[in-house]
Every structure is written in C-alpha cells, then in structure tokens.
Amino acid sequence: MKVNESFDFRSTRDVQLNVRVGTSSYADERARINVYNDLPTIGQLVATGIASLGKSFKLEFRIPASLTDLYVEKIDANGASEVKKIHAGTSISADFLTAAQVVSARQQAGSGLDCTTGVTKAYSNHKGDLTIKAGDVIALTGTYSGKITMNGGTLRICGTATIPNLITNKSAACKIYFLEGSTVTISATDILAPTTSIYNYSNALSFTQNLATGGSYENYGKMTVNGNFTINNNTSNTYLNNGELIVKQALINNRHLVNNNYIMVEGYYEAGGESFNENNCRLIIDGNFIPSYTFTNNSYIKVGSETRISGKSNLVLNSGAMLSTSKLVYEGTITGKGTTKSVVKVAGTTSIGGAASMEGSANLCDANGIEQNSSRIASSYFSCGGTYLPTSSCNPEGFGTLQAAPTIIDTDKDGVADSQDDYPNDPTRAYNTYYPSATGWATYGFEDLWPAQGDYDFNDLVINSRITRVFNADNKLVEMKNQIIIRAIGASYDNGFGFQLDGVSSSEVASVTGYSHTKGYVQLAPNKTEAGQSKAVIVAYDTPEPLIKRVGGSMFNTVKESPAGTPGQLELVVRFATPLDPAKASQEKINPFIIVDGKREVEVHLANYAPTGKANASLLGTLEDTSKPGSGRYYRSASNLPWAIELPVEFNYPAEKVPVTEAYLFFADWAQSGGQLRTDWYLNKAGYTNNQKTFK
C-alpha cells in the first residue's frame, strides 16, 4: 500500500468555533456554551465555555473527521436555552444574536451505508416487483416502482422509489434502510413482523395511507404518515425518533416510543395500555392527548384540543417539563419529579374528578379558573405564579415571566453562576471540555519495532484516553486530566507510555500526579515532569505490569483464543503554574508516545510528531524509517505508513498478527485517498469489518 506523503493518517479534525452572543439583559450576565456531537437530548458533550454577552468567544476542540454536524447550545443566566445546528467545518461560527429559534430536525444523519458496499444485487432504474430472501442485500438506485416482499435479507434504498405494497415475512429477520438522499413513497404495508427492523435516514419518506409496525423502527430523517400510525404491542422493540415525524391522523402507541426531537400529530395521540412513552423534546398534538398508562414527559407537549388523564393514567413531569393544553379532563395522577417545578397549563376548561391526584414538584395553571374540581388535591398545587420555565429549542412557549433580574447565586464569586459552573465552590475552576467527549474514549495504537517494519496490527500497545481540560471563568486553562486505560499489549517488549505537551514548557507546570514509575529509568523534576526536558513531558508509566492483570501468556488481550486480562487504569492530572492560553495545550499539541522496552532513548510517536529531547535522534531515518526532521517528517516509512494511529472512538483493534487492512476492509481506501473516502473506516458497521480478525 502506497500513501501520499501529505496524508498524516488522522481520523480527526481540529475545529475552531467562534461564538457570538447578543447584548446582555443584566449587568455582568454570562452565558454557558455547550457543544454536542448530536442533538443535545442524545448527543455527547464535547466542549463547553463561558461567554460574556455582547462579546465573541472562541472554542478549540477535536472531533471525528466523519462528523458532519455539531449542535451548539447557549444557556442564559435565567435558564433560557437556544440550540444551533452548524456544519462541522474546520473554522466555524455560531451566532446567538436574535430571538431563540427552534433547532431543525436532524437531517442527513450519517448511516454509514451506501448502495454498493456489501450489496449482493443492485437494481438501477428498475420497474417490477421484487422478492428478497434471507442472505440477500438488495440495493435500489435511480428510480424504482413495484411491490416488495421480504422473506428475510436486507433492503437499501438510495434513489427514488414508489412502492405500492411493502411486505415483510413474520418469521424472517428483515432489515430496511431508507438512506440519505432517497425519496420514498409507500402505499400499503404489511410490516407487523417483530423481526422487522427499519431505519430511516431520508428527508422524504412518505406513507400515503395508514401505517402499522410491529418490529423496531429508528427515524433519523423526516417521515410523514398520511393516515393513522399504529405501533403494535407484539414485541419489546422501540420506535425511536431522533428526527422529524409528521402524523396526519392518529398516533396510537401500544408498545415503546421515545421522542428525542420533534413529533407532530395532526389527529389524536393515544398511549395504549401498558405502553412506554417518553418525550424528551417537542411533541405537538392538534387533537386529543390520551395517556392511558404511564407517560413520561421530560420536555414539552402542546395539545390543541383535550388532554384526558384517566383513572389508570400517570403523567410524569420531570424537572421543568411542561404540558400546555386547551382543555383538561383529569381523573388520574400527575407526578412532578426533580428539583425544578413542572407545569400543566390549561388555556380553556379544566375538569378534575374525585380520584385525581397530584404529587411532587408540579403546578396546574388555569388562568380562567378551574371549572370543576371534585378532588382532594391541595389548593397549593393550583397556581399560575411563582414558577418560571424559560424557552428553549424544545419548549418555544415557556411559562411565566421574570419580573426582575434573576437572583444569581455565585458561591465562589468567580463571576459564573452556580447553575452554569461545573465547580461552583472553586473560584479557580469553572468548566470542562473533553476529548473525545465527556463519556467516550479515544484510542492510540502502536507498533513497537520501529525503525524496523512491524506487522501493522497496531496492537503492540492499545491505549484508551479521555482528556478533560479544566478552565477558569476567564476561559484560561488551569488543569488537564488524562484518564488512561491499557487495553491490550500484543508485544513481548515492556513498553512505557507518555505524552509531551508540545506548546507547554516544563516550567509552566506546577505539578503532575497519577503516574506509575517502578523501573527507575525516568528521572523527574520537582514538579514531576520528566527532568532535563524543555517541553513538558509526562511519562504515565514506565512499565504496565503493576497496572494490568494478566491471565497468562506473553500477549495481553490480543489473542482471541486466550482468556481476557483485566485492563490497567490511571489518571494523570497536570496542574499549570499559571492559567494558560488554551491554544498552548490544544489536542493538536498533545504528543503521545511509547518508550520501547525500557530503552529511554527509543520512542515511537504518531506520524509527523517529533520525538522528545530524550530520544536518540540518530535512529531517525534508519532501517524502514524515512524521517526528515528538517521538513517536519517523522515516523513514516518509505510508503508513508506510520507506526502509530489515533482514533476518536474505543477501537475494536485487530487480533494478534492481523494487519489492520485485513480486519478493517476500508482502511486502505481511506489511507490511499488521503482521508477523503471512508472517513469512518474504524467503526464496526455492516460490511466494514472482518470480525474474525478483530480481537472482539
């Protein structure tokens, strides 16, 4: 494999985000900025900042190169939030200068699939009925019209399809993908089989009649049902809505529905007996709302007609949730949970039966007065005052009005309200940013035979890493944490691991804690960075053996047939002497490396990252290595291949002695295209991986 020398084998992209916020409403008001890799209701938190209103604010962070969209949230001091969806370029901006707008439905969600990879047969511009059997992977491109019967197998639609009837066999596992860019119109359906799985990534999927489903259904695009939509109670599967769902008549859920974005029902919504219903964003119902069982609302429901809470119903409102309804007929239970009071707002008439109950942190507000009340609910629950719910991307209505500037509690007096402060009791710290996210892990994979060629399984050492940067109220970096997990060691060498902060001098570090040194070959300065280095070098461990738990054999978690060992963990904490400009310790300037077999002078780094001052520079450019320090070329072979890779996910690495190109079928496509193709090659998607050749 020959790779262009300009390609650096990065599966990531460094982003500079400029945020502008409007003029402040209150003296010294600040806004919290959160950046997510998906809708805030389901995404992972990537970066955070504190913006002074009326000023610009810059965030720098690293994301997967395959990520196309980011969601930027601004939260004001009064709790009002606004979300912007922006294209994830290299240099981007998000402006919050006007009134809050509702975030658009998720679009072009990135299925990772196409109509060529792994396809057994493709139909282009085809007219005629199709029957699909188990083992088939059928793709439709161009235009298609005809009936489709599935007796198993997989269907992918990439073009424009008109389907008068779609049928799935009740005894066979069937998968249907409406992929990005497709336009699909379906008339009659028989897809009640519990073994049917449907995934929509199209922004133009339309069912012209009633739709009833029985299997699992995931919507990431825009889907319209021009009749009734019935989710049947024949399996434990879920209808998951992360996009936009429009139902022209009734939505009847008898099973399990989770809404993370936007549902519009022009008829009535009925939550059937023992169904599971969870609303995490916006649910708009023009007709009646009938929650016949437990219904959990974590955000906003708008009902244009009547809400009927029967005797068996329990409407659960969590932490500032809101039900805004024209009429209310109420005989069941309303339960408010969480510290923030939730609200049921009635614009018209309210009728409360004798068995009705209300408990927890909730209010019922009927500005016209309650017309009928036979219950024993305490009068304190019936109030339209004292509660304020700010507007947000999910709740554009809000509730109540702030009569004055909010009472801002700032316990540590750092200028950041406790509600926006990750460290409300510490004036030197205010918020965190993360790589790859607050809950995810990045992976470093190393080959340790450098400067000789290795076997390119990238499992001689496999490290998971999560970086947490801690900032103060002035957006300066005060601390950096590196959580490390030693996942695998596919080598007989006893390799150490560390990282250099390329933009930070050793004197700018106040202290380092959390390392493991037992071999004695690493000498430390008083601040616990490595002694004799001009740049800050932190050696996490000089041998992994005290940290991991082996189960026998020379390899650790790389041989599929061997029992798995227990990974080692540690957390490095680097505290800076004075708050730093974040650019000095950006992700681009974190330079991880291994120390080969206890030989301090032998280091292996990522492609085009320079070694530390302790490395033996005379090894550069020897054997298979073609480093040219004068031109910034490091740790590249004559074919421009590296000895280490970084991935923004927890990687299912190749098994022992299996080249990465055999385990991951699109690695070569990605590398030889200079990173333009298959930017998500490392994901365990259908057709991407030979699972017989990965460790798991």
Side-chain angles (χ1 to χ4, degrees):
M1 186 171 64
K2 180 77 172 177
V3 179
N4 191 293
E5 65 178 336
S6 64
F7 181 51
D8 56 9
F9 281 84
R10 290 193 182 185
S11 295
T12 59
R13 179 168 64 251
D14 292 318
V15 173
Q16 287 190 347
L17 170 64
N18 187 61
V19 179
R20 294 193 302 165
V21 295
T23 57
S24 61
S25 302
Y26 316 109
D28 301 320
E29 183 183 0
R30 295 187 177 190
R32 168 96 176 204
I33 304 296
N34 294 324
V35 183
Y36 296 89
N37 60 7
D38 209 327
L39 293 165
T41 49
I42 55 175
Q44 294 181 321
L45 183 63
V46 175
T48 297
I50 300 295
S52 296
L53 274 69
K55 297 181 180 179
S56 295
F57 168 69
K58 182 181 290 185
L59 279 169
E60 297 183 50
F61 50 92
R62 176 169 289 183
I63 61 173
S66 58
L67 186 63
T68 58
D69 296 308
L70 291 167
Y71 291 81
V72 184
E73 178 184 36
K74 182 201 72 172
I75 305 175
D76 291 341
N78 61 17
S81 68
E82 181 182 356
V83 176
K84 299 276 189 179
K85 177 184 175 183
I86 57 176
H87 182 69
T90 301
S91 182
I92 54 181
S93 63
D95 293 338
F96 297 93
L97 302 176
T98 57
Q101 64 180 37
V102 175
V103 67
S104 62
R106 179 177 178 177
Q107 298 179 3
Q108 303 300 327
S111 64
L113 296 175
D114 54 40
C115 281
T116 56
T117 306
V119 171
T120 58
K121 188 169 184 180
Y123 293 86
S124 179
N125 299 320
H126 182 77
K127 184 176 182 180
D129 297 344
L130 292 178
T131 299
I132 301 171
K133 64 182 185 300
D136 287 347
V137 180
I138 303 300
L140 305 180
T141 62
T143 59
Y144 171 81
S145 62
K147 172 184 173 182
I148 298 177
T149 302
M150 297 188 68
N151 297 315
T154 298
L155 172 65
R156 301 179 193 170
I157 301 179
C158 290
T160 299
T162 303
I163 304 171
N165 202 350
L166 175 63
I167 302 169
T168 59
N169 191 302
K170 292 180 173 60
S171 61
C174 305
K175 291 185 177 181
I176 304 172
Y177 295 89
F178 305 106
L179 295 182
E180 296 91 336
S182 64
T183 299
V184 182
T185 302
I186 302 174
S187 299
T189 60
D190 183 358
I191 52 176
L192 295 175
T195 52
T196 297
S197 299
I198 298 177
Y199 308 88
N200 178 47
Y201 297 89
S202 167
N203 290 321
L205 171 61
S206 176
F207 294 86
T208 64
Q209 303 177 24
N210 294 337
L211 172 64
T213 64
S216 63
Y217 207 124
E218 297 180 14
N219 179 41
Y220 299 96
K222 182 176 181 180
M223 168 179 155
T224 301
V225 179
N226 287 283
N228 297 325
F229 181 23
T230 304
I231 304 172
N232 285 288
N233 184 25
N234 59 353
T235 72
S236 60
N237 292 329
T238 299
Y239 180 93
L240 177 66
N241 181 55
N242 289 341
E244 184 175 339
L245 170 63
I246 310 296
V247 180
K248 294 293 186 177
Q249 295 184 23
L251 194 163
I252 304 167
N253 178 36
N254 296 308
R255 191 180 67 216
H256 194 144
L257 185 151
V258 177
N259 175 41
N260 290 319
N261 194 14
Y262 177 71
I263 295 178
M264 173 68 190
V265 181
E266 297 183 13
Y268 65 88
Y269 183 131
E270 181 175 355
E274 300 191 5
S275 64
F276 180 93
N277 301 262
E278 180 177 322
N279 176 52
N280 295 317
C281 197
R282 277 190 303 154
L283 170 59
I284 311 298
I285 305 164
D286 282 351
N288 293 337
F289 175 38
I290 311 168
S292 302
Y293 197 60
T294 299
F295 193 108
T296 300
N297 178 28
N298 298 319
S299 189
Y300 177 71
I301 302 174
K302 177 73 172 181
V303 181
S305 186
E306 183 175 278
T307 297
R308 302 174 188 168
I309 304 176
S310 66
K312 295 182 180 180
S313 302
N314 182 14
L315 177 63
V316 179
L317 304 173
N318 278 325
S319 293
M322 182 175 175
L323 166 65
S324 178
T325 183
S326 179
K327 299 179 181 179
L328 177 65
V329 177
Y330 171 24
E331 297 178 350
T333 303
I334 295 176
T335 304
K337 293 185 176 181
T339 56
T340 303
K341 190 168 287 187
S342 297
V343 171
V344 176
K345 176 184 174 183
V346 183
T349 59
T350 300
S351 176
I352 306 177
S357 66
M358 181 173 282
E359 55 192 55
S361 53
N363 274 355
L364 192 159
C365 169
D366 187 336
N368 302 318
I370 296 174
E371 284 73 16
Q372 179 182 341
N373 182 9
S374 303
S375 73
R376 297 183 179 180
I377 298 172
S379 60
S380 59
Y381 281 107
F382 304 132
S383 173
C384 293
T387 301
Y388 173 71
L389 300 180
T391 59
S392 70
S393 57
C394 291
N395 180 356
E397 180 177 350
F399 181 83
T401 303
L402 281 178
Q403 300 302 318
T407 301
I408 298 176
I409 300 174
D410 182 11
T411 303
D412 58 15
K413 309 301 180 185
D414 64 353
V416 179
D418 286 5
S419 61
Q420 299 175 328
D421 197 333
D422 291 336
Y423 302 87
N425 298 305
D426 186 345
T428 68
R429 295 168 171 81
Y431 66 90
N432 300 327
T433 64
Y434 304 94
Y435 175 70
S437 68
T439 57
W441 295 95
T443 301
Y444 297 114
F446 291 91
E447 290 289 313
D448 66 1
L449 292 182
W450 179 90
Q453 181 172 307
D455 53 13
Y456 286 104
D457 55 15
F458 289 112
N459 70 16
D460 292 353
L461 177 64
V462 179
I463 292 284
N464 280 157
S465 171
R466 180 187 298 143
I467 301 288
T468 302
R469 292 175 175 82
V470 184
F471 293 81
N472 64 16
D474 295 321
N475 299 307
K476 298 294 186 181
L477 183 65
V478 298
E479 183 177 280
M480 188 175 73
K481 303 174 184 178
N482 191 352
Q483 293 173 265
I484 290 172
I485 298 177
I486 307 169
R487 292 260 318 275
I489 302 171
S492 58
Y493 286 165
D494 187 16
N495 298 321
F497 175 77
F499 56 95
Q500 177 172 272
L501 302 180
D502 286 350
V504 179
S505 67
S506 58
S507 63
E508 291 177 295
V509 174
S511 65
V512 178
T513 59
Y515 53 84
S516 172
H517 295 170
T518 61
K519 290 293 188 178
Y521 67 79
V522 178
Q523 305 302 311
L524 298 179
N527 63 0
K528 307 308 179 185
T529 61
E530 188 173 29
Q533 300 269 31
S534 59
K535 296 179 180 179
V537 176
I538 294 93
V539 178
Y541 63 81
D542 54 11
T543 174
E545 297 309 319
L547 302 169
I548 64 174
K549 185 176 180 181
R550 292 184 181 268
V551 291
S554 61
M555 304 301 171
F556 175 73
N557 292 348
T558 62
V559 179
K560 292 172 73 75
E561 296 76 17
S562 297
T566 303
Q569 300 188 44
L570 68 166
E571 182 179 73
L572 280 298
V573 180
V574 182
R575 295 183 175 90
F576 300 106
T578 58
L580 296 180
D581 180 340
K584 300 188 73 171
S586 65
Q587 198 61 35
E588 184 181 10
K589 294 178 181 177
I590 294 182
N591 181 355
F593 63 93
I594 62 172
I595 300 168
V596 178
D597 205 23
K599 300 173 183 176
R600 184 60 194 88
E601 72 278 9
V602 183
E603 299 177 357
V604 179
H605 293 247
L606 295 167
N608 294 344
Y609 275 82
T612 79
K614 293 286 186 179
N616 183 353
S618 66
L619 295 174
L620 297 170
T622 64
L623 297 179
E624 299 297 324
D625 180 68
T626 59
S627 296
K628 296 178 180 178
S631 60
R633 178 185 177 89
Y634 293 99
Y635 297 97
R636 305 288 292 269
S637 72
S639 298
N640 294 307
L641 302 181
W643 275 263
I645 56 172
E646 172 197 341
L647 300 169
V649 297
E650 188 170 357
F651 183 49
N652 184 16
Y653 51 86
E656 189 60 34
K657 300 298 183 183
V658 176
V660 67
T661 50
E662 294 183 14
Y664 284 86
L665 307 182
F666 297 120
F667 178 89
D669 290 353
W670 167 71
Q672 292 179 141
S673 71
Q676 298 301 306
L677 301 177
R678 301 292 181 179
T679 54
D680 60 351
W681 65 268
Y682 48 81
L683 297 180
N684 191 18
K685 291 183 176 180
Y688 276 43
T689 310
N690 183 342
N691 291 323
Q692 300 300 314
K693 296 192 175 185
T694 57
F695 177 66
K696 292 184 179 180

